[in-house]
Amino acid sequence: MVAGMEWQSESPELRAFLESLHRGDILSGTVVAIERFGVFVALDDGPAHPTLPGVGFLGVPELSWRRFDDPSDVVQVGQRVSCQFLGSDTHNAEARLSLKALEPDPLHAFAERTVVGQEFCGTVAKVVPIGIFVDLGDGILGLVPFREIDGRPAAIPAEDFEAGDQIAVVVTEIELPKRRVFLARPENSRYADAVLPT
């Protein structure tokens, strides 16, 4: 790999291209490589990269608002994509991109149609020391805490839950700025009355 800033002298065309971009620009290209840490994109208007598969790079968090296990769950090699330019990585000579920035955030839609106290039926996505993450559908994960978090009391004792379990939960708080949904187990769980987000 071209070390540090040496790429600038070896590829003045690449340097000029990256300097011409502005945050928020929409760039199109083709997915050329998928790695566990992100996706390389050959940009339509961009030059070739001296060492990497493409000048554009999508980090894993910028691929989708929805939960996924592998970047290939979101895009495929050869797929055409349009992305928002976030900034230049001058060390690696990459245009940092976001695919999800061009999609509506499902948490905002969830917050608009959900009220505190509303009951849902969800699927346990992950059990962690602080609680359980519950998938409510449509890309929304909420936390049922086992212990106090940021002054919020524990919602449930540390029960035995496993990924894949279906459980009833109640929304206790939606914190849009931090993108967090807090949940609790309902006092009288009524699976029949639980609703799934539409």
Side-chain angles (χ1 to χ4, degrees):
M1 182 182 291
V2 178
M5 302 290 272
E6 292 175 22
W7 65 266
Q8 290 184 4
S9 60
E10 292 184 24
S11 183
E13 184 184 6
L14 176 56
R15 178 180 177 197
F17 173 73
L18 291 174
E19 288 176 353
S20 74
L21 299 175
H22 299 91
R23 184 174 179 82
D25 286 350
I26 306 302
L27 305 175
S28 295
T30 303
V31 173
V32 290
I34 299 174
E35 303 291 343
R36 63 177 171 69
F37 53 86
V39 173
F40 290 96
V41 178
L43 297 172
D44 292 346
D45 299 326
H49 194 283
T51 59
L52 299 174
V55 171
F57 182 75
L58 288 158
V60 170
E62 294 301 326
L63 287 171
S64 178
W65 292 109
R66 308 208 186 305
R67 186 174 171 266
F68 59 91
D69 294 320
D70 187 83
S72 63
D73 295 339
V74 181
V75 294
Q76 299 298 313
V77 171
Q79 180 179 336
R80 299 281 304 151
V81 292
S82 291
C83 306
Q84 186 175 79
F85 175 68
L86 300 178
S88 294
D89 175 344
T90 55
H91 181 75
N92 292 319
E94 296 171 335
R96 293 295 173 131
L97 307 171
S98 176
L99 199 55
K100 77 177 186 182
L102 299 181
E103 300 174 355
D105 182 350
L107 185 59
H108 289 279
F110 177 80
E112 287 177 11
R113 69 175 183 265
T114 304
V115 295
V116 169
Q118 188 169 341
E119 188 172 326
F120 290 87
C121 181
T123 304
V124 174
K126 187 189 290 189
V127 180
V128 294
I130 62 168
I132 56 174
F133 283 98
V134 179
D135 186 342
L136 300 176
D138 198 27
I140 306 300
L141 281 180
L143 175 67
V144 181
F146 290 152
R147 61 174 196 237
E148 182 181 324
I149 297 174
D150 294 340
R152 294 170 185 84
I156 60 172
E159 299 177 34
D160 290 328
F161 291 98
E162 292 183 14
D165 288 350
Q166 297 289 310
I167 65 168
V169 292
V170 173
V171 175
T172 59
E173 184 178 357
I174 300 171
E175 201 175 89
L176 283 175
K178 292 186 179 180
R179 299 194 44 73
R180 301 193 299 191
V181 176
F182 287 96
L183 307 169
R185 297 281 284 148
E187 295 282 329
N188 299 307
S189 178
R190 299 169 300 169
Y191 289 91
D193 293 338
V195 296
L196 290 171
T198 55

